Amino acid sequence: MDSMSCIDESTTSTDSFPPAAPAADTPSKLPAPPAVKLYRMGSGGSVVSDSDNVIGVETESRKLPSSKYKGVVPQPNGRWGAQIYEKHHRVWLGTFNEEAEAARAYDIAARRFRGRDAVTNFKSPAADGERDCQSDAESAFLEAHSKAEIVDMLRKHTYEEELEQSKRRFHLSGVDGDGNRNGTGQNDDAGKKTREVLFEKAVTPSDVGKLNRLVIPKQHAEKHFPLPTSSSNGNGTSSTKGVLMNFEDVTGKVWRFRYSYWNSSQSYVLTKGWSRFVKEKNLRAGDVVSFERSTGPDRQLYIDCKIRSEPEKNPVQVVRLFGVDILSAPTPPPNDVVPVCGGKRSRDRDLFTLGCSKKQMIINAL
DNA sequence: CGGTGTGTTGAG
DNA sequence: TCAACACACCGG
């Protein structure tokens, strides 16, 4: 047993606080020296000192270019990996196209794992006594999530996005940023219920095909719609039955879907009832379906879809929801835009499948 | 098959 | 604690 696994949340706030920031630093306030060079050639073997590399001798056969950033390691394909260590275990933070991106990921993880005073590549909020709203919001955001969640976001490159959403919510309800509803946060404006976007998915051809099923990305499914767990039944047949879930759409209509886990494909799906939704909403591949939930005590679920295709005729569509106008226009609304299929790829293998694999620290928290 | 990220080693 | 390196394994 051993542990393993699972980055536990020990640090929820108070804990790790290095006595004093590495002080060393001198007061040089360096607000944010973009490229701090920490020359660390690490150990390992050959250092690739380009420094004195004579001319461009640089035989390409050179090993990999080491990074000037902490926690960043080169990948064979020219990309950059980010990693952080904790308790003798390495926690992989994902791979990135840009070296600085990886460095940024490391910084975020470092702050979540080691506190604000953690040594980072770029900015260090608390360090210079700055403390502006931004950093406060980010700190709150970090605190509100488990290490596992943060790592998850980093690996999937969704951190920035989630942080932004969190900030929005923060301002709206004056409560903490993310998933934690706070006692009060129910409806603040008269009768206007606030909702949080759980996740969105650009539907695939199969999602709108004849299979009568919508695959819910595992990460989201497990986070927001944890199935009654299959409870028991040790034979892997997890909850084969599934459960019925109700979602309200923008018109107030309630849709009921069967939600279950398919062992065969190891995926979470919405089945019974889904095809009707597809038909009625005339969903097509590429459209985005959004799953939301009331932040109020009722935790009402909502489903909404954003047609992504060409605006056939109607330029804009305004729908009302509890008196709130929501427009799903062809152009992405300023607010929660979903980069989803944006530029980079977001590979997401099971990532922290609860089945903590070997030694790597995995997560589980929740 | 390309690429990720894990296994592992050794320096600091 | 950390980066370098090698490569098993995974997903396309």
Side-chain angles (χ1 to χ4, degrees):
Chain A
M1 358 228 90
D2 77 345
S3 73
M4 68 212 55
S5 34
C6 312
I7 292 177
D8 48 87
E9 216 35 88
S10 25
T11 10
T12 313
S13 44
T14 52
D15 56 350
S16 60
F17 260 136
D25 51 6
T26 101
S28 61
K29 53 288 252 92
L30 62 145
V36 195
K37 306 199 153 203
L38 311 169
Y39 271 116
R40 100 179 343 286
M41 351 189 339
S43 26
S46 34
V47 172
V48 193
S49 58
D50 294 283
S51 15
D52 48 65
N53 81 37
V54 195
I55 325 175
V57 180
E58 195 59 274
T59 346
E60 63 293 89
S61 63
R62 235 63 210 138
K63 305 275 182 149
L64 291 169
S66 56
S67 173
K68 60 185 175 225
Y69 297 110
K70 184 176 173 59
V72 178
V73 294
Q75 288 299 89
N77 55 341
R79 300 183 74 218
W80 301 87
Q83 58 184 29
I84 188 170
Y85 287 80
E86 180 176 75
K87 193 44 181 51
H88 286 206
H89 288 279
R90 170 179 51 202
V91 176
W92 188 254
L93 306 175
T95 52
F96 307 80
N97 289 319
E98 297 306 316
E99 191 179 358
E101 268 187 282
R104 162 72 179 153
Y106 171 85
D107 286 3
I108 293 165
R111 268 194 248 108
R112 179 62 187 80
F113 283 61
R114 303 166 183 169
R116 319 172 181 245
D117 299 323
V119 176
T120 56
N121 292 296
F122 301 107
K123 76 290 200 70
S124 178
D128 36 352
E130 271 292 329
R131 298 190 53 256
D132 51 55
C133 300
Q134 290 298 305
S135 62
D136 279 346
E138 185 159 4
S139 294
F141 179 75
L142 288 172
E143 293 296 332
H145 291 78
S146 66
K147 293 173 185 174
E149 292 174 316
I150 297 299
V151 171
D152 189 55
M153 292 177 215
L154 294 175
R155 290 174 67 156
K156 295 198 185 68
H157 298 193
T158 61
Y159 177 82
E160 293 298 339
E161 180 191 339
E162 298 209 35
L163 173 59
E164 288 311 310
Q165 267 185 41
S166 166
K167 286 179 181 173
R168 268 175 230 126
R169 257 173 267 138
F170 183 85
H171 288 121
L172 283 178
S173 56
V175 184
D176 74 326
D178 199 62
N180 312 318
R181 50 300 157 174
N182 125 4
T184 68
Q186 14 214 112
N187 324 328
D188 21 263
D189 300 41
K192 188 192 288 182
K193 288 194 174 183
T194 59
R195 305 190 299 181
E196 64 174 320
V197 175
L198 266 22
F199 64 90
E200 299 182 303
K201 181 189 181 186
V203 298
T204 66
S206 340
D207 286 331
V208 297
K210 304 182 190 343
L211 288 101
N212 182 27
R213 67 101 175 95
L214 168 72
V215 171
I216 296 183
K218 193 170 187 176
Q219 62 189 157
H220 294 129
E222 296 182 344
K223 178 176 180 182
H224 305 292
F225 306 148
L227 226 28
T229 220
S230 54
S231 24
S232 41
N233 83 38
N235 60 21
T237 337
S238 24
S239 48
T240 46
K241 297 174 51 178
V243 299
L244 290 178
M245 296 179 77
N246 296 317
F247 295 86
E248 191 173 309
D249 70 10
V250 293
T251 70
K253 178 171 181 174
V254 175
W255 294 84
R256 170 170 296 188
F257 306 118
R258 172 182 294 286
Y259 170 56
S260 59
Y261 180 72
W262 282 355
N263 283 303
S264 57
S265 53
Q266 301 203 313
S267 53
Y268 292 89
V269 295
L270 285 187
T271 55
K272 193 172 189 304
W274 177 248
S275 59
R276 303 180 103 260
F277 183 84
V278 171
K279 180 182 295 183
E280 185 165 319
K281 301 294 183 182
N282 191 26
L283 269 190
R284 285 151 60 176
D287 293 342
V288 174
V289 178
S290 172
F291 290 88
E292 302 154 27
R293 176 165 56 200
S294 164
T295 56
D298 54 17
R299 313 233 87 198
Q300 169 69 54
L301 293 168
Y302 300 92
I303 184 169
D304 187 13
C305 48
K306 303 171 183 176
I307 306 306
R308 194 170 194 278
S309 19
E310 291 50 321
E312 15 234 323
K313 282 273 204 81
N314 338 319
V316 185
Q317 260 183 297
V318 178
V319 282
R320 303 210 13 150
L321 170 74
F322 295 116
V324 180
D325 286 324
I326 302 208
L327 46 141
S328 51
T331 45
N335 259 351
D336 28 270
V337 187
V338 198
V340 178
C341 11
K344 24 200 105 173
R345 49 168 302 153
S346 62
R347 159 207 190 114
D348 74 331
R349 53 173 50 176
D350 41 357
L351 171 47
F352 308 18
T353 33
L354 303 183
C356 318
S357 66
K358 311 269 162 129
K359 308 185 157 189
Q360 199 80 4
M361 302 283 273
I362 306 292
I363 314 190
N364 152 356
L366 240 187

